[in-house]
PDB file of all heavy atoms in Angstrom:
ATOM      1  N   GLN A   1     243.226  92.504  10.755  1.00 95.00           N
ATOM      2  CA  GLN A   1     243.467  93.855  11.256  1.00 95.00           C
ATOM      3  C   GLN A   1     242.675  94.861  10.452  1.00 95.00           C
ATOM      4  O   GLN A   1     242.027  95.750  11.009  1.00 95.00           O
ATOM      5  CB  GLN A   1     244.962  94.203  11.084  1.00 95.00           C
ATOM      6  CG  GLN A   1     245.313  95.643  11.414  1.00 95.00           C
ATOM      7  CD  GLN A   1     245.273  95.979  12.922  1.00 95.00           C
ATOM      8  OE1 GLN A   1     245.634  95.140  13.734  1.00 95.00           O
ATOM      9  NE2 GLN A   1     244.889  97.199  13.238  1.00 95.00           N
ATOM     10  N   ALA A   2     242.601  94.719   9.138  1.00 95.00           N
ATOM     11  CA  ALA A   2     241.882  95.591   8.250  1.00 95.00           C
ATOM     12  C   ALA A   2     240.413  95.501   8.517  1.00 95.00           C
ATOM     13  O   ALA A   2     239.685  96.515   8.608  1.00 95.00           O
ATOM     14  CB  ALA A   2     242.165  95.300   6.799  1.00 95.00           C
ATOM     15  N   LEU A   3     239.932  94.278   8.703  1.00 97.00           N
ATOM     16  CA  LEU A   3     238.492  94.048   8.941  1.00 97.00           C
ATOM     17  C   LEU A   3     238.101  94.686  10.283  1.00 97.00           C
ATOM     18  O   LEU A   3     237.091  95.317  10.413  1.00 97.00           O
ATOM     19  CB  LEU A   3     238.256  92.560   8.992  1.00 97.00           C
ATOM     20  CG  LEU A   3     236.765  92.136   9.290  1.00 97.00           C
ATOM     21  CD1 LEU A   3     235.870  92.566   8.175  1.00 97.00           C
ATOM     22  CD2 LEU A   3     236.696  90.624   9.473  1.00 97.00           C
ATOM     23  N   ALA A   4     238.900  94.443  11.318  1.00 97.00           N
ATOM     24  CA  ALA A   4     238.630  95.014  12.681  1.00 97.00           C
ATOM     25  C   ALA A   4     238.551  96.588  12.568  1.00 97.00           C
ATOM     26  O   ALA A   4     237.663  97.158  13.173  1.00 97.00           O
ATOM     27  CB  ALA A   4     239.700  94.525  13.659  1.00 97.00           C
ATOM     28  N   GLU A   5     239.496  97.107  11.916  1.00 97.00           N
ATOM     29  CA  GLU A   5     239.480  98.611  11.784  1.00 97.00           C
ATOM     30  C   GLU A   5     238.197  99.088  11.092  1.00 97.00           C
ATOM     31  O   GLU A   5     237.614 100.109  11.513  1.00 97.00           O
ATOM     32  CB  GLU A   5     240.685  99.066  11.007  1.00 97.00           C
ATOM     33  CG  GLU A   5     242.025  98.868  11.755  1.00 97.00           C
ATOM     34  CD  GLU A   5     243.228  99.223  10.932  1.00 97.00           C
ATOM     35  OE1 GLU A   5     243.017  99.609   9.749  1.00 97.00           O
ATOM     36  OE2 GLU A   5     244.343  99.137  11.437  1.00 97.00           O
ATOM     37  N   TYR A   6     237.776  98.353  10.076  1.00 96.00           N
ATOM     38  CA  TYR A   6     236.575  98.769   9.294  1.00 96.00           C
ATOM     39  C   TYR A   6     235.282  98.678  10.177  1.00 96.00           C
ATOM     40  O   TYR A   6     234.468  99.584  10.273  1.00 96.00           O
ATOM     41  CB  TYR A   6     236.468  97.985   8.066  1.00 96.00           C
ATOM     42  CG  TYR A   6     235.181  98.232   7.274  1.00 96.00           C
ATOM     43  CD1 TYR A   6     234.997  99.450   6.688  1.00 96.00           C
ATOM     44  CD2 TYR A   6     234.126  97.323   7.225  1.00 96.00           C
ATOM     45  CE1 TYR A   6     233.840  99.734   5.947  1.00 96.00           C
ATOM     46  CE2 TYR A   6     232.962  97.555   6.582  1.00 96.00           C
ATOM     47  CZ  TYR A   6     232.841  98.798   5.924  1.00 96.00           C
ATOM     48  OH  TYR A   6     231.631  99.045   5.247  1.00 96.00           O
ATOM     49  N   VAL A   7     235.090  97.471  10.775  1.00 97.00           N
ATOM     50  CA  VAL A   7     233.859  97.300  11.498  1.00 97.00           C
ATOM     51  C   VAL A   7     233.750  98.094  12.746  1.00 97.00           C
ATOM     52  O   VAL A   7     232.619  98.453  13.199  1.00 97.00           O
ATOM     53  CB  VAL A   7     233.609  95.755  11.748  1.00 97.00           C
ATOM     54  CG1 VAL A   7     233.459  94.984  10.495  1.00 97.00           C
ATOM     55  CG2 VAL A   7     234.706  95.200  12.646  1.00 97.00           C
ATOM     56  N   THR A   8     234.870  98.352  13.341  1.00 97.00           N
ATOM     57  CA  THR A   8     234.821  99.221  14.651  1.00 97.00           C
ATOM     58  C   THR A   8     234.687 100.649  14.343  1.00 97.00           C
ATOM     59  O   THR A   8     234.186 101.415  15.171  1.00 97.00           O
ATOM     60  CB  THR A   8     236.028  98.952  15.492  1.00 97.00           C
ATOM     61  OG1 THR A   8     237.265  99.214  14.757  1.00 97.00           O
ATOM     62  CG2 THR A   8     236.094  97.532  15.992  1.00 97.00           C
ATOM     63  N   THR A   9     235.119 101.169  13.171  1.00 95.00           N
ATOM     64  CA  THR A   9     235.062 102.558  12.891  1.00 95.00           C
ATOM     65  C   THR A   9     233.892 102.835  11.956  1.00 95.00           C
ATOM     66  O   THR A   9     232.924 103.534  12.327  1.00 95.00           O
ATOM     67  CB  THR A   9     236.355 103.060  12.250  1.00 95.00           C
ATOM     68  OG1 THR A   9     236.698 102.252  11.085  1.00 95.00           O
ATOM     69  CG2 THR A   9     237.512 102.951  13.200  1.00 95.00           C
ATOM     70  N   ALA A  10     233.869 102.328  10.706  1.00 95.00           N
ATOM     71  CA  ALA A  10     232.801 102.610   9.787  1.00 95.00           C
ATOM     72  C   ALA A  10     231.425 102.066  10.171  1.00 95.00           C
ATOM     73  O   ALA A  10     230.408 102.693   9.992  1.00 95.00           O
ATOM     74  CB  ALA A  10     233.176 102.069   8.386  1.00 95.00           C
ATOM     75  N   ARG A  11     231.521 100.884  10.849  1.00 95.00           N
ATOM     76  CA  ARG A  11     230.231 100.254  11.294  1.00 95.00           C
ATOM     77  C   ARG A  11     229.920 100.445  12.787  1.00 95.00           C
ATOM     78  O   ARG A  11     228.863 100.093  13.256  1.00 95.00           O
ATOM     79  CB  ARG A  11     230.253  98.738  11.012  1.00 95.00           C
ATOM     80  CG  ARG A  11     230.243  98.455   9.436  1.00 95.00           C
ATOM     81  CD  ARG A  11     228.970  98.992   8.803  1.00 95.00           C
ATOM     82  NE  ARG A  11     228.911  98.705   7.402  1.00 95.00           N
ATOM     83  CZ  ARG A  11     228.194  97.577   6.947  1.00 95.00           C
ATOM     84  NH1 ARG A  11     227.605  96.843   7.789  1.00 95.00           N
ATOM     85  NH2 ARG A  11     228.157  97.319   5.700  1.00 95.00           N
ATOM     86  N   GLU A  12     230.858 101.021  13.514  1.00 97.00           N
ATOM     87  CA  GLU A  12     230.684 101.321  14.885  1.00 97.00           C
ATOM     88  C   GLU A  12     230.322 100.081  15.745  1.00 97.00           C
ATOM     89  O   GLU A  12     229.510 100.206  16.690  1.00 97.00           O
ATOM     90  CB  GLU A  12     229.626 102.430  15.072  1.00 97.00           C
ATOM     91  CG  GLU A  12     230.043 103.788  14.407  1.00 97.00           C
ATOM     92  CD  GLU A  12     229.068 104.865  14.659  1.00 97.00           C
ATOM     93  OE1 GLU A  12     227.914 104.557  15.053  1.00 97.00           O
ATOM     94  OE2 GLU A  12     229.401 106.027  14.486  1.00 97.00           O
ATOM     95  N   MET A  13     230.827  99.007  15.386  1.00 97.00           N
ATOM     96  CA  MET A  13     230.648  97.764  16.148  1.00 97.00           C
ATOM     97  C   MET A  13     231.682  97.719  17.319  1.00 97.00           C
ATOM     98  O   MET A  13     232.836  98.082  17.089  1.00 97.00           O
ATOM     99  CB  MET A  13     230.786  96.562  15.313  1.00 97.00           C
ATOM    100  CG  MET A  13     229.716  96.395  14.228  1.00 97.00           C
ATOM    101  SD  MET A  13     229.979  94.916  13.157  1.00 97.00           S
ATOM    102  CE  MET A  13     228.628  95.100  11.995  1.00 97.00           C
ATOM    103  N   LYS A  14     231.321  97.216  18.451  1.00 97.00           N
ATOM    104  CA  LYS A  14     232.237  97.260  19.586  1.00 97.00           C
ATOM    105  C   LYS A  14     232.519  95.832  20.201  1.00 97.00           C
ATOM    106  O   LYS A  14     233.472  95.619  20.831  1.00 97.00           O
ATOM    107  CB  LYS A  14     231.669  98.233  20.664  1.00 97.00           C
ATOM    108  CG  LYS A  14     231.570  99.635  20.222  1.00 97.00           C
ATOM    109  CD  LYS A  14     232.916 100.190  19.786  1.00 97.00           C
ATOM    110  CE  LYS A  14     232.762 101.636  19.254  1.00 97.00           C
ATOM    111  NZ  LYS A  14     234.090 102.164  18.706  1.00 97.00           N
ATOM    112  N   ALA A  15     231.487  94.995  20.074  1.00 98.00           N
ATOM    113  CA  ALA A  15     231.618  93.633  20.712  1.00 98.00           C
ATOM    114  C   ALA A  15     231.414  92.559  19.699  1.00 98.00           C
ATOM    115  O   ALA A  15     230.547  92.679  18.803  1.00 98.00           O
ATOM    116  CB  ALA A  15     230.528  93.545  21.836  1.00 98.00           C
ATOM    117  N   PHE A  16     232.219  91.453  19.810  1.00 98.00           N
ATOM    118  CA  PHE A  16     232.176  90.469  18.804  1.00 98.00           C
ATOM    119  C   PHE A  16     232.269  89.067  19.437  1.00 98.00           C
ATOM    120  O   PHE A  16     232.746  88.883  20.585  1.00 98.00           O
ATOM    121  CB  PHE A  16     233.415  90.627  17.846  1.00 98.00           C
ATOM    122  CG  PHE A  16     233.443  91.936  17.207  1.00 98.00           C
ATOM    123  CD1 PHE A  16     234.150  93.016  17.861  1.00 98.00           C
ATOM    124  CD2 PHE A  16     232.813  92.241  16.004  1.00 98.00           C
ATOM    125  CE1 PHE A  16     234.126  94.264  17.265  1.00 98.00           C
ATOM    126  CE2 PHE A  16     232.856  93.479  15.407  1.00 98.00           C
ATOM    127  CZ  PHE A  16     233.504  94.501  16.017  1.00 98.00           C
ATOM    128  N   ALA A  17     231.806  88.052  18.663  1.00 98.00           N
ATOM    129  CA  ALA A  17     232.037  86.677  18.973  1.00 98.00           C
ATOM    130  C   ALA A  17     232.952  86.124  17.844  1.00 98.00           C
ATOM    131  O   ALA A  17     233.047  86.609  16.749  1.00 98.00           O
ATOM    132  CB  ALA A  17     230.728  85.872  18.984  1.00 98.00           C
ATOM    133  N   ILE A  18     233.738  85.077  18.182  1.00 98.00           N
ATOM    134  CA  ILE A  18     234.591  84.452  17.202  1.00 98.00           C
ATOM    135  C   ILE A  18     234.207  82.938  17.135  1.00 98.00           C
ATOM    136  O   ILE A  18     234.150  82.274  18.140  1.00 98.00           O
ATOM    137  CB  ILE A  18     236.087  84.551  17.636  1.00 98.00           C
ATOM    138  CG1 ILE A  18     236.499  86.050  17.654  1.00 98.00           C
ATOM    139  CG2 ILE A  18     236.965  83.765  16.701  1.00 98.00           C
ATOM    140  CD1 ILE A  18     237.985  86.260  18.140  1.00 98.00           C
ATOM    141  N   PHE A  19     233.987  82.540  15.862  1.00 98.00           N
ATOM    142  CA  PHE A  19     233.610  81.137  15.581  1.00 98.00           C
ATOM    143  C   PHE A  19     234.584  80.729  14.525  1.00 98.00           C
ATOM    144  O   PHE A  19     234.406  81.107  13.333  1.00 98.00           O
ATOM    145  CB  PHE A  19     232.140  81.036  15.181  1.00 98.00           C
ATOM    146  CG  PHE A  19     231.609  79.632  15.180  1.00 98.00           C
ATOM    147  CD1 PHE A  19     231.775  78.791  16.291  1.00 98.00           C
ATOM    148  CD2 PHE A  19     230.844  79.184  14.118  1.00 98.00           C
ATOM    149  CE1 PHE A  19     231.263  77.512  16.301  1.00 98.00           C
ATOM    150  CE2 PHE A  19     230.337  77.831  14.132  1.00 98.00           C
ATOM    151  CZ  PHE A  19     230.472  77.099  15.252  1.00 98.00           C
ATOM    152  N   ALA A  20     235.667  79.951  14.883  1.00 98.00           N
ATOM    153  CA  ALA A  20     236.689  79.724  13.891  1.00 98.00           C
ATOM    154  C   ALA A  20     237.071  78.253  13.887  1.00 98.00           C
ATOM    155  O   ALA A  20     236.898  77.550  14.877  1.00 98.00           O
ATOM    156  CB  ALA A  20     237.899  80.578  14.264  1.00 98.00           C
ATOM    157  N   PRO A  21     237.692  77.716  12.785  1.00 98.00           N
ATOM    158  CA  PRO A  21     238.129  76.478  12.752  1.00 98.00           C
ATOM    159  C   PRO A  21     239.377  76.142  13.666  1.00 98.00           C
ATOM    160  O   PRO A  21     240.194  77.064  13.888  1.00 98.00           O
ATOM    161  CB  PRO A  21     238.579  76.239  11.283  1.00 98.00           C
ATOM    162  CG  PRO A  21     238.899  77.606  10.766  1.00 98.00           C
ATOM    163  CD  PRO A  21     237.941  78.480  11.544  1.00 98.00           C
ATOM    164  N   ASP A  22     239.385  75.003  14.239  1.00 97.00           N
ATOM    165  CA  ASP A  22     240.494  74.634  15.138  1.00 97.00           C
ATOM    166  C   ASP A  22     241.707  74.196  14.320  1.00 97.00           C
ATOM    167  O   ASP A  22     242.059  73.065  14.243  1.00 97.00           O
ATOM    168  CB  ASP A  22     240.077  73.494  16.033  1.00 97.00           C
ATOM    169  CG  ASP A  22     241.042  73.285  17.192  1.00 97.00           C
ATOM    170  OD1 ASP A  22     241.967  74.031  17.304  1.00 97.00           O
ATOM    171  OD2 ASP A  22     240.794  72.338  17.938  1.00 97.00           O
ATOM    172  N   SER A  23     242.316  75.208  13.681  1.00 95.00           N
ATOM    173  CA  SER A  23     243.455  74.931  12.769  1.00 95.00           C
ATOM    174  C   SER A  23     244.473  76.089  12.957  1.00 95.00           C
ATOM    175  O   SER A  23     244.135  77.079  13.614  1.00 95.00           O
ATOM    176  CB  SER A  23     242.980  74.889  11.286  1.00 95.00           C
ATOM    177  OG  SER A  23     242.452  76.133  10.900  1.00 95.00           O
ATOM    178  N   ALA A  24     245.620  75.944  12.369  1.00 91.00           N
ATOM    179  CA  ALA A  24     246.639  77.069  12.460  1.00 91.00           C
ATOM    180  C   ALA A  24     246.109  78.280  11.888  1.00 91.00           C
ATOM    181  O   ALA A  24     246.215  79.374  12.406  1.00 91.00           O
ATOM    182  CB  ALA A  24     247.921  76.587  11.772  1.00 91.00           C
ATOM    183  N   TYR A  25     245.387  78.225  10.752  1.00 93.00           N
ATOM    184  CA  TYR A  25     244.837  79.390  10.057  1.00 93.00           C
ATOM    185  C   TYR A  25     243.700  79.979  10.966  1.00 93.00           C
ATOM    186  O   TYR A  25     243.706  81.192  11.187  1.00 93.00           O
ATOM    187  CB  TYR A  25     244.134  78.883   8.778  1.00 93.00           C
ATOM    188  CG  TYR A  25     243.398  80.042   8.053  1.00 93.00           C
ATOM    189  CD1 TYR A  25     244.055  80.888   7.204  1.00 93.00           C
ATOM    190  CD2 TYR A  25     242.020  80.185   8.241  1.00 93.00           C
ATOM    191  CE1 TYR A  25     243.391  81.879   6.513  1.00 93.00           C
ATOM    192  CE2 TYR A  25     241.364  81.164   7.605  1.00 93.00           C
ATOM    193  CZ  TYR A  25     242.006  82.025   6.733  1.00 93.00           C
ATOM    194  OH  TYR A  25     241.308  83.063   6.077  1.00 93.00           O
ATOM    195  N   GLY A  26     242.818  79.183  11.551  1.00 96.00           N
ATOM    196  CA  GLY A  26     241.742  79.630  12.383  1.00 96.00           C
ATOM    197  C   GLY A  26     242.263  80.347  13.627  1.00 96.00           C
ATOM    198  O   GLY A  26     241.788  81.472  14.013  1.00 96.00           O
ATOM    199  N   HIS A  27     243.285  79.767  14.297  1.00 96.00           N
ATOM    200  CA  HIS A  27     243.826  80.418  15.445  1.00 96.00           C
ATOM    201  C   HIS A  27     244.576  81.691  15.171  1.00 96.00           C
ATOM    202  O   HIS A  27     244.542  82.676  15.893  1.00 96.00           O
ATOM    203  CB  HIS A  27     244.762  79.433  16.166  1.00 96.00           C
ATOM    204  CG  HIS A  27     244.021  78.373  16.927  1.00 96.00           C
ATOM    205  ND1 HIS A  27     243.633  78.588  18.320  1.00 96.00           N
ATOM    206  CD2 HIS A  27     243.579  77.145  16.674  1.00 96.00           C
ATOM    207  CE1 HIS A  27     242.953  77.478  18.713  1.00 96.00           C
ATOM    208  NE2 HIS A  27     242.954  76.625  17.751  1.00 96.00           N
ATOM    209  N   THR A  28     245.349  81.683  14.030  1.00 94.00           N
ATOM    210  CA  THR A  28     246.049  82.909  13.639  1.00 94.00           C
ATOM    211  C   THR A  28     245.085  84.031  13.384  1.00 94.00           C
ATOM    212  O   THR A  28     245.253  85.111  13.865  1.00 94.00           O
ATOM    213  CB  THR A  28     246.824  82.667  12.364  1.00 94.00           C
ATOM    214  OG1 THR A  28     247.905  81.699  12.641  1.00 94.00           O
ATOM    215  CG2 THR A  28     247.507  83.925  11.821  1.00 94.00           C
ATOM    216  N   ALA A  29     244.007  83.721  12.603  1.00 96.00           N
ATOM    217  CA  ALA A  29     243.048  84.736  12.276  1.00 96.00           C
ATOM    218  C   ALA A  29     242.326  85.244  13.532  1.00 96.00           C
ATOM    219  O   ALA A  29     242.085  86.450  13.749  1.00 96.00           O
ATOM    220  CB  ALA A  29     242.046  84.234  11.261  1.00 96.00           C
ATOM    221  N   ALA A  30     241.931  84.329  14.379  1.00 98.00           N
ATOM    222  CA  ALA A  30     241.183  84.704  15.598  1.00 98.00           C
ATOM    223  C   ALA A  30     242.080  85.599  16.511  1.00 98.00           C
ATOM    224  O   ALA A  30     241.561  86.560  17.068  1.00 98.00           O
ATOM    225  CB  ALA A  30     240.760  83.456  16.336  1.00 98.00           C
ATOM    226  N   GLU A  31     243.313  85.115  16.720  1.00 97.00           N
ATOM    227  CA  GLU A  31     244.197  85.951  17.631  1.00 97.00           C
ATOM    228  C   GLU A  31     244.448  87.346  17.056  1.00 97.00           C
ATOM    229  O   GLU A  31     244.494  88.338  17.799  1.00 97.00           O
ATOM    230  CB  GLU A  31     245.490  85.171  17.740  1.00 97.00           C
ATOM    231  CG  GLU A  31     245.372  83.946  18.650  1.00 97.00           C
ATOM    232  CD  GLU A  31     246.623  82.998  18.499  1.00 97.00           C
ATOM    233  OE1 GLU A  31     247.607  83.439  17.921  1.00 97.00           O
ATOM    234  OE2 GLU A  31     246.535  81.895  19.021  1.00 97.00           O
ATOM    235  N   ALA A  32     244.657  87.402  15.694  1.00 96.00           N
ATOM    236  CA  ALA A  32     244.872  88.731  15.140  1.00 96.00           C
ATOM    237  C   ALA A  32     243.679  89.607  15.194  1.00 96.00           C
ATOM    238  O   ALA A  32     243.738  90.792  15.564  1.00 96.00           O
ATOM    239  CB  ALA A  32     245.316  88.564  13.647  1.00 96.00           C
ATOM    240  N   PHE A  33     242.453  89.023  15.008  1.00 98.00           N
ATOM    241  CA  PHE A  33     241.265  89.843  15.083  1.00 98.00           C
ATOM    242  C   PHE A  33     240.970  90.344  16.480  1.00 98.00           C
ATOM    243  O   PHE A  33     240.639  91.450  16.701  1.00 98.00           O
ATOM    244  CB  PHE A  33     240.065  88.971  14.590  1.00 98.00           C
ATOM    245  CG  PHE A  33     238.772  89.697  14.517  1.00 98.00           C
ATOM    246  CD1 PHE A  33     238.462  90.666  13.510  1.00 98.00           C
ATOM    247  CD2 PHE A  33     237.762  89.560  15.478  1.00 98.00           C
ATOM    248  CE1 PHE A  33     237.321  91.327  13.484  1.00 98.00           C
ATOM    249  CE2 PHE A  33     236.572  90.204  15.447  1.00 98.00           C
ATOM    250  CZ  PHE A  33     236.324  91.125  14.463  1.00 98.00           C
ATOM    251  N   GLN A  34     241.164  89.391  17.467  1.00 98.00           N
ATOM    252  CA  GLN A  34     241.006  89.784  18.905  1.00 98.00           C
ATOM    253  C   GLN A  34     241.949  90.904  19.246  1.00 98.00           C
ATOM    254  O   GLN A  34     241.561  91.884  19.912  1.00 98.00           O
ATOM    255  CB  GLN A  34     241.170  88.575  19.765  1.00 98.00           C
ATOM    256  CG  GLN A  34     240.980  88.950  21.274  1.00 98.00           C
ATOM    257  CD  GLN A  34     240.866  87.818  22.180  1.00 98.00           C
ATOM    258  OE1 GLN A  34     240.656  86.642  21.676  1.00 98.00           O
ATOM    259  NE2 GLN A  34     241.013  87.973  23.486  1.00 98.00           N
ATOM    260  N   ALA A  35     243.217  90.770  18.875  1.00 97.00           N
ATOM    261  CA  ALA A  35     244.223  91.760  19.234  1.00 97.00           C
ATOM    262  C   ALA A  35     243.835  93.121  18.623  1.00 97.00           C
ATOM    263  O   ALA A  35     243.944  94.206  19.278  1.00 97.00           O
ATOM    264  CB  ALA A  35     245.591  91.344  18.802  1.00 97.00           C
ATOM    265  N   ALA A  36     243.404  93.090  17.342  1.00 97.00           N
ATOM    266  CA  ALA A  36     243.039  94.335  16.707  1.00 97.00           C
ATOM    267  C   ALA A  36     241.827  94.985  17.335  1.00 97.00           C
ATOM    268  O   ALA A  36     241.783  96.194  17.576  1.00 97.00           O
ATOM    269  CB  ALA A  36     242.776  94.003  15.188  1.00 97.00           C
ATOM    270  N   VAL A  37     240.814  94.166  17.591  1.00 98.00           N
ATOM    271  CA  VAL A  37     239.566  94.679  18.199  1.00 98.00           C
ATOM    272  C   VAL A  37     239.852  95.322  19.536  1.00 98.00           C
ATOM    273  O   VAL A  37     239.404  96.455  19.903  1.00 98.00           O
ATOM    274  CB  VAL A  37     238.532  93.554  18.328  1.00 98.00           C
ATOM    275  CG1 VAL A  37     237.426  93.975  19.282  1.00 98.00           C
ATOM    276  CG2 VAL A  37     237.941  93.232  16.972  1.00 98.00           C
ATOM    277  N   GLU A  38     240.626  94.601  20.357  1.00 98.00           N
ATOM    278  CA  GLU A  38     240.909  95.126  21.747  1.00 98.00           C
ATOM    279  C   GLU A  38     241.741  96.362  21.663  1.00 98.00           C
ATOM    280  O   GLU A  38     241.621  97.250  22.465  1.00 98.00           O
ATOM    281  CB  GLU A  38     241.504  93.970  22.531  1.00 98.00           C
ATOM    282  CG  GLU A  38     240.562  92.894  22.850  1.00 98.00           C
ATOM    283  CD  GLU A  38     241.201  91.711  23.634  1.00 98.00           C
ATOM    284  OE1 GLU A  38     242.434  91.665  23.745  1.00 98.00           O
ATOM    285  OE2 GLU A  38     240.477  90.817  24.110  1.00 98.00           O
ATOM    286  N   GLY A  39     242.673  96.403  20.678  1.00 97.00           N
ATOM    287  CA  GLY A  39     243.480  97.562  20.533  1.00 97.00           C
ATOM    288  C   GLY A  39     242.714  98.785  20.078  1.00 97.00           C
ATOM    289  O   GLY A  39     243.118  99.946  20.295  1.00 97.00           O
ATOM    290  N   LEU A  40     241.567  98.562  19.478  1.00 97.00           N
ATOM    291  CA  LEU A  40     240.641  99.673  19.035  1.00 97.00           C
ATOM    292  C   LEU A  40     239.541  99.939  20.073  1.00 97.00           C
ATOM    293  O   LEU A  40     238.653 100.685  19.759  1.00 97.00           O
ATOM    294  CB  LEU A  40     240.010  99.253  17.714  1.00 97.00           C
ATOM    295  CG  LEU A  40     241.011  99.259  16.494  1.00 97.00           C
ATOM    296  CD1 LEU A  40     240.420  98.458  15.317  1.00 97.00           C
ATOM    297  CD2 LEU A  40     241.467 100.612  16.146  1.00 97.00           C
ATOM    298  N   GLY A  41     239.683  99.410  21.261  1.00 97.00           N
ATOM    299  CA  GLY A  41     238.703  99.623  22.316  1.00 97.00           C
ATOM    300  C   GLY A  41     237.474  98.710  22.305  1.00 97.00           C
ATOM    301  O   GLY A  41     236.612  98.926  23.120  1.00 97.00           O
TER     302      GLY A  41
END
């Protein structure tokens, strides 16, 4: 969530790809990042 807020505001990034391990950690991080990014437009 913190990373998404930073890159979308301070870095003005809007579109992203996700390349993550197929593990509980990878899926948790990916889902949280996607939700945060989409919530920020």
Side-chain angles (χ1 to χ4, degrees):
Q1 172 74 33
L3 179 67
E5 290 175 358
Y6 175 71
V7 295
T8 57
T9 54
R11 292 302 185 93
E12 298 183 344
M13 297 177 180
K14 299 301 179 186
F16 304 89
I18 296 176
F19 196 46
D22 191 5
S23 63
Y25 175 87
H27 282 273
T28 295
E31 289 167 9
F33 184 75
Q34 179 168 346
V37 164
E38 292 176 348
L40 292 162

